[in-house]
Amino acid sequence: MGNDNWPEVGEFVVCTVKNVTDFGAYVELEEFGGREGFIHISEIKAGWVKYVRDYVREGQKIVCKVLNVDPSRGHIDLSLKDVNEHQRRAKIQEWKNEQKAAKWLQFVAEETKTDENSVKALHEKLVEEFGSAYSAFEEAAIEGEKAFKGMKINKKYLKSIVKIAGENIKLPFVDIAGYVDLTCNLPNGIEVIRQALNAANSISDVDGKDVRLEISYIGAPRYRIKVIAPDYKKAESVLKKSAQTAVDTIAKLGGHGTFKRHIESAKA
């Protein structure tokens, strides 16, 4: 699904290298309608770089960190050196998953005879509720139509999403989720929260390749931590470690955090 917005500073983005020069590389941002970004030679790699082509080449898919965005000039500054291997792999997987979800939504459109604008609106609604369209399909594969309880979605869409999710997503692992509320009133509060989330996300590296951890924004100040692991005990352990890491990190940096295993329904 196309995205006509601009990326945020600090965000990781998937790019295709379009032109390599002596002083840097021009790239297209895959998730933002092909907007152009630039990686200065100083942001290619830590240390001295003699030839940019030793590190990037035309047509290559890379993951960059957004350093600066200037919509008035149509300019986006990027860094390749500020992305570690874990961040690169996680972002590439997320991007591939969203490509799959976009394809599945096209199947939904064809099956329900829905126009492009309606499918785009559905995509935006799923992202708003689940953090990503792929996560919405995963939840549909796990819980069926119950995953969309409380959401105003046409019944024909629900049936089609659940059907296509069941046909395309295999769920051999345990899947659980919890929530952290993170707040920081300092001038750099957004960066503090981002550091806490990055620390929480790194827990999956410690616990092995058989664990998948996803953190998505629900709505200030709440973030959802989802863990997929071989068994419930492992999943619960990783969830608690990740949440506690976020809470401890933000506390050290001057903010406040709390972990909630479940979100209680609002009382009338």
Side-chain angles (χ1 to χ4, degrees):
M1 310 297 285
N3 191 329
D4 297 326
N5 297 324
W6 293 85
E8 295 182 3
V9 172
E11 185 175 354
F12 295 110
V13 292
V14 177
C15 307
T16 300
V17 180
K18 290 299 178 182
N19 184 29
V20 179
T21 70
D22 292 338
F23 51 87
Y26 291 93
V27 301
E28 282 188 3
L29 280 67
E30 292 288 340
E31 302 150 291
F32 294 86
R35 290 192 185 279
E36 185 178 82
F38 180 68
I39 314 166
H40 189 265
I41 188 171
S42 63
E43 293 296 333
I44 294 289
K45 180 182 178 294
W48 186 64
V49 174
K50 185 175 182 180
Y51 300 113
V52 177
R53 277 191 171 82
D54 286 344
Y55 303 96
V56 294
R57 62 187 182 278
E58 282 87 353
Q60 184 180 4
K61 287 282 190 300
I62 58 176
V63 175
C64 295
K65 184 176 182 179
V66 179
L67 299 179
N68 184 55
V69 178
D70 186 348
S72 64
R73 293 171 54 210
H75 198 74
I76 303 171
D77 293 317
L78 302 165
S79 174
L80 181 60
K81 72 179 184 181
D82 285 352
V83 183
N84 63 37
E85 182 59 20
H86 167 71
Q87 293 164 336
R88 186 193 70 79
R89 284 190 286 108
K91 182 60 189 180
I92 287 293
Q93 187 59 55
E94 175 191 318
W95 175 66
K96 287 181 177 179
N97 286 345
E98 285 308 284
Q99 285 189 309
K100 290 179 184 177
K103 183 178 179 181
W104 296 339
L105 278 174
Q106 288 305 314
F107 292 163
V108 171
E110 292 168 9
E111 191 172 86
T112 59
K113 296 180 173 56
T114 302
D115 63 86
E116 186 177 342
N117 287 335
S118 296
V119 173
K120 185 176 180 180
L122 174 61
H123 175 263
E124 291 172 353
K125 187 175 290 188
L126 295 178
V127 171
E128 182 180 352
E129 179 69 21
F130 295 95
S132 72
Y134 185 82
S135 292
F137 277 96
E138 277 192 321
E139 293 294 338
I142 297 167
E143 298 187 25
E145 292 186 27
K146 291 190 297 182
F148 305 91
K149 186 178 180 180
M151 292 182 65
K152 294 181 178 179
I153 297 181
N154 191 304
K155 194 76 172 177
K156 68 177 182 180
Y157 297 156
L158 291 184
K159 289 186 177 298
S160 182
I161 289 172
V162 171
K163 173 176 173 288
I164 291 169
E167 292 171 347
N168 290 279
I169 297 180
K170 296 180 181 179
L171 298 168
F173 288 3
V174 171
D175 184 323
I176 65 172
Y179 302 82
V180 285
D181 289 353
L182 304 175
T183 56
C184 183
N185 296 322
L186 297 174
N188 65 331
I190 294 176
E191 180 58 31
V192 167
I193 291 173
R194 184 176 287 120
Q195 288 182 44
L197 293 173
N198 285 340
N201 198 44
S202 68
I203 293 300
S204 60
D205 282 346
V206 178
D207 283 86
K209 295 180 180 179
D210 58 347
V211 173
R212 198 169 105 211
L213 192 153
E214 299 174 0
I215 300 178
S216 56
Y217 177 68
I218 300 299
R222 184 155 295 158
Y223 296 83
R224 180 173 183 262
I225 302 176
K226 177 180 176 181
V227 178
I228 299 175
D231 56 72
Y232 180 82
K233 184 177 180 181
K234 181 84 167 180
E236 192 70 35
S237 173
V238 173
L239 175 60
K240 288 179 179 177
K241 283 182 187 176
S242 179
Q244 194 59 51
T245 297
V247 171
D248 291 346
T249 300
I250 201 166
K252 289 177 184 177
L253 297 174
H256 178 71
T258 56
F259 170 53
K260 302 176 185 293
R261 182 64 179 85
H262 300 285
I263 300 301
E264 297 180 0
S265 300
K267 296 180 180 179

